[in-house]
């Protein structure tokens, strides 16, 4: 084994909402060669890694350990000793019931350099998303964090009764199975039967559910609602505040489960839009960009053209880098440079190039962009030089398999026609369910018509109305996405 010591970053992914990871945590992900991630770390965060980064799933389900702790420790050591930058991505904060102490000890024994990047822990985040602040001047000046389940190693650490109830607010992690015992113990310690309690499942995500009750009723209500881990239990008077300040449930797409079909490797702004409005949204499938390597002859033909048309932002990066390596610079470019989408225009302007909206007439031109986007029929005078190919990113197979079967997805959103074809091609790899049973929404009448031709039957009126209102385009990012999608019709 190569003993060139790499580096390990233990990164807190936050409680679920990908916007709650720290900048430092995101920086670590962008540098990673390998990521070992848990079930509670939102797998959407893996999209921010580089294309060469490898993913290793360490997820644990109740009574079903995918990778034992000893194996995780060994893998961290083995990968870092290959000289790799390894990220151990953990849900919440790695130091709060995240076993970072055990894993860091294993790394330290080999003198492998490492760091611990804190994350927002669920006792603070999930309760806040449920409208329950863990402290309040009138109700609670302190709170206690406890594990909701014991293992053989920590069951002897149980506190005395007077120590168990240190804070006015108590937060129990992953305590669904042990909830009846927790309530019984608190009642035995002198808590009132009317003490308020709430259990928050999948906190901060669009599939978040909250059950309220008292120490006498909460266990029964949780069973009736079929609440499962991951879940957080909050006990104390602060639960009263939920009736007046619960805010997450008021978002327009709260608890809606939406698939956003993809046809490009760029981050889905539609997915982010719906997540920000309370939905559980997942952009599918994951795609990656494979660049084309131009020959010297191809580069010379591109430079000799009268008009150069860019069909995608990625094509600019790929062509420019290869031109520079081949000895060309901006002075060698054709006089007339054109673009298809505004996102492409902005990228050209960043490089100091004035450009015009593409016109498709009989005059000669060279087109640069995604191979699929350039398969349309052009005039004989317009030559196509694809800069890259969009391909399925197979690293997300396990993630797709888990997420597409873990939730009952209701609606699929289609940005363009190609997204429909790619979605139908990939969906059946992961689910036996007929995807056409789902409702759908589409950007543009031509895309809607194509979806109906493909067998989709029912339009999701709420989602469709949101798309048609175009209020989601007010942010400049949404406007760019819309323009790009229109170009792909």
């Amino acid at each position: 084994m190569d003993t060139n010591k790499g580096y390990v970053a233990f990164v807190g992914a936050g409680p679920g909402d990908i916007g709650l990871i720290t900048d430092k945590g995101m920086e670590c992900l962008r540098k990673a060669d390998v990521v070992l991630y848990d079930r509670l770390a939102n797998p959407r965060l893996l999209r921010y890694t580089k294309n060469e980064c490898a993913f290793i799933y360490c997820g644990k389900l109740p009574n079903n350990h995918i990778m034992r702790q000893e194996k995780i420790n060994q893998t961290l050591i083995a990968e870092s000793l290959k000289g790799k930058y390894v990220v151990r991505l953990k849900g919440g904060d790695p130091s709060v019931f995240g076993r970072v102490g055990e894993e860091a000890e294993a790394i330290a024994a080999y003198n492998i350099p490492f760091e611990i990047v804190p994350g927002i822990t669920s006792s603070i985040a999930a309760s806040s998303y449920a409208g329950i602040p863990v402290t309040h001047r009138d109700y609670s000046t302190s709170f206690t964090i406890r594990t909701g389940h014991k293992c053989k190693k920590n069951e002897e650490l149980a506190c005395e009764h007077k120590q168990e109830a240190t804070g006015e607010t108590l937060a129990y992690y992953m305590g669904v199975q042990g909830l009846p015992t927790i309530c019984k113990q608190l009642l035995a310690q002198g808590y009132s039967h009317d003490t308020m309690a709430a259990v928050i499942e999948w906190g901060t995500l669009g599939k978040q559910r909250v059950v309220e009750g008292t120490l006498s009723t909460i266990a029964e209500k949780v069973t009736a609602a079929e609440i499962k881990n991951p879940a957080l239990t909050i006990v104390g008077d602060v639960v009263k505040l939920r009736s007046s300040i619960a805010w997450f449930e008021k978002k327009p797409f709260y608890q809606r489960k939406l698939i956003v079909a993809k046809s490009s490797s760029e981050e889905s702004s539609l997915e982010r839009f719906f997540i920000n409005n309370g939905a559980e949204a997942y952009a599918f499938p994951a795609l990656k960009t494979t660049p084309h390597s131009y020959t010297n002859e191809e580069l010379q033909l591109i430079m000799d053209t009268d008009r150069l048309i860019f069909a995608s932002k990625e094509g600019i990066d790929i062509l420019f880098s290869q031109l520079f390596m081949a000895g060309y610079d901006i002075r060698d470019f054709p006089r007339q440079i054109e673009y298809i989408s505004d996102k492409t225009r902005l990228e050209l302007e960043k490089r100091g190039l004035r450009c015009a909206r593409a016109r498709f007439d009989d005059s000669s031109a060279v087109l640069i962009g995604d191979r699929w986007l350039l398969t349309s029929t052009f005039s004989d005078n317009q030559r196509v030089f694809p800069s890259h190919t969009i391909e399925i990113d197979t690293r997300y197979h396990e993630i797709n398999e888990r997420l597409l079967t873990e939730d009952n997805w209701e609606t699929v959103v289609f940005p363009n026609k190609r997204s429909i074809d790619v979605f139908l091609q990939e969906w059946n790899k992961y689910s036996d369910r007929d995807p056409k049973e789902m409702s759908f929404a589409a950007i543009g009448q031509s895309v809607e018509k194509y979806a109906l031709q493909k067998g989709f039957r029912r339009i999701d009126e709420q989602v469709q109305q949101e798309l048609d209102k175009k209020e989601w385009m007010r942010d400049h990012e949404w406007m760019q996405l819309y323009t790009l999608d229109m170009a792909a019709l």
Side-chain angles (χ1 to χ4, degrees), residues 231-248:
L232 176 81
T233 300
I234 299 290
V235 177
D237 288 343
V238 289
V239 176
K240 298 176 182 178
L241 296 165
R242 175 170 157 74
S243 61
S244 60
I245 66 172
W247 59 274
F248 192 54

Side-chain angles (χ1 to χ4, degrees), residues 147-310:
T147 179
H149 61 88
K150 300 289 196 297
C151 66
K152 290 182 179 180
K153 288 186 177 181
N154 67 24
E155 61 185 2
E156 296 179 359
L157 299 177
C159 300
E160 297 294 332
H161 289 178
K162 63 181 180 179
Q163 296 173 312
E164 178 83 22
T166 301
E168 291 91 348
T169 302
L170 306 179
Y172 290 89
Y173 286 60
M174 308 294 280
V176 171
Q177 186 175 355
L179 188 56
T181 299
I182 291 171
C183 294
K184 183 178 178 180
Q185 289 176 344
L186 291 175
L187 290 170
Q189 293 167 28
Y191 276 75
S192 167
H193 287 265
D194 295 329
T195 301
M196 298 195 70
V199 176
I200 308 159
E201 178 189 59
W202 286 111
T204 77
L205 294 175
K207 55 185 174 180
Q208 171 181 299
R209 292 195 296 160
V210 183
V211 174
E212 298 177 66
T214 66
L215 288 181
S216 296
T217 64
I218 190 66
E220 183 179 346
K221 288 186 175 184
V222 164
T223 299
E226 298 183 343
I227 297 291
K228 308 292 183 185
N229 282 325
L232 176 81
T233 300
I234 299 290
V235 177
D237 288 343
V238 289
V239 176
K240 298 176 182 178
L241 296 165
R242 175 170 157 74
S243 61
S244 60
I245 66 172
W247 59 274
F248 192 54
E249 291 95 326
K250 295 178 182 178
K251 287 182 172 286
F253 289 93
Y254 173 63
Q255 289 193 336
R256 295 298 313 277
K257 295 182 172 63
L258 312 177
I259 297 283
V260 178
K262 291 197 69 182
S263 62
S264 78
S265 58
E266 292 187 339
E267 180 185 4
S268 172
S269 297
L270 277 173
E271 179 195 54
R272 175 163 293 193
F273 171 80
F274 285 114
I275 287 175
N276 289 343
N277 281 277
E280 177 69 3
Y282 183 54
F284 170 81
L287 302 169
K288 66 179 180 179
T289 297
T290 301
H292 169 72
S293 294
Y294 290 110
T295 64
N296 289 332
E297 291 75 14
E298 287 175 324
L299 292 176
Q300 188 61 56
L301 286 170
I302 292 170
M303 289 293 95
D304 288 342
T305 188
D306 295 326
R307 287 195 303 143
L308 186 58
I309 302 174
F310 286 98

